[in-house]
Amino acid sequence: MTDDLTLRAETAGDEAGIRAVTAAAFDRPEEADLVEALRRDPAWIPALSRVAVSGGRVVAHALLTRCHVGETSALALGPVAVLPEVQRQGLGTLVVEDALREARERGGSAVIVLGHPGYYPRFGFTIASRHGIGVAFDVPDEALMALSLDGAPLPSGTVRYAPPFGV
């Protein structure tokens, strides 16, 4: 990790850097296109698009956007991306922790993530189905996870993502 790392909300000049990080991390443009589509959607919360900046460039990004679990407002985590040349140095953990901290400070209560079941439990995520949370499409049960930010019980129901997710 670099010594000059800054964690902060995305600013107007970060779009190209976020796109580059996301496209490189996923080795395809779809997730970068998703971030750009979410930026234009009512689900977008500017303060919850978090970046790690080093040497003046974006090296990692984590995004939380509005979603619903049943009829209850929640947040969806993703995409999360780190430049390939600095992966496995803790930057993903730092930027996710920063996003979750900011969401907690802003009164967020529940976060949903569809991701690697070996990665997200380190932040406190547990299998969503154990809380009565599901999605309307096929995913491995262990890949859909949920986290309570405030210690309250998680809502139950089907997750409704913002339209740019296409699900």
Side-chain angles (χ1 to χ4, degrees):
M1 245 179 325
T2 59
D3 294 331
D4 68 336
L5 188 71
T6 302
L7 298 170
R8 61 169 171 77
E10 168 185 336
T11 62
D14 292 329
E15 292 95 343
I18 291 169
R19 180 168 185 83
V21 167
T22 307
F26 288 94
D27 199 28
R28 58 185 189 173
E30 288 84 0
E31 282 79 7
D33 294 344
L34 173 61
V35 172
E36 291 177 357
L38 285 165
R39 213 179 260 123
R40 298 183 301 269
D41 192 89
W44 185 260
I45 304 167
L48 297 183
S49 177
R50 308 300 293 185
V51 294
V53 178
S54 178
R57 72 178 182 147
V58 175
V59 295
H61 177 245
L63 180 61
L64 287 162
T65 52
R66 290 179 184 94
C67 71
H68 287 84
V69 176
E71 297 305 314
T72 304
S73 293
L75 296 168
L77 174 60
V80 174
V82 178
L83 278 178
E85 63 263 28
V86 293
Q87 287 178 0
R88 303 204 189 298
Q89 297 180 31
L91 294 173
T93 296
L94 288 174
V95 77
V96 169
E97 287 174 344
D98 185 59
L100 295 173
R101 177 201 50 77
E102 185 68 25
R104 190 175 290 109
E105 287 179 6
R106 293 176 169 276
S109 59
V111 180
I112 304 300
V113 67
L114 180 57
H116 195 284
Y119 184 74
Y120 291 98
R122 74 182 66 189
F123 306 105
F125 284 92
T126 57
I127 296 173
S129 64
R130 294 179 184 164
H131 306 281
I133 300 170
V135 290
F137 51 92
D138 288 333
V139 299
D141 189 53
E142 66 276 6
L144 183 68
M145 292 165 273
L147 170 69
S148 173
L149 291 174
D150 59 6
L154 289 162
S156 61
T158 301
V159 179
R160 287 185 291 118
Y161 291 96
F165 281 97
V167 292

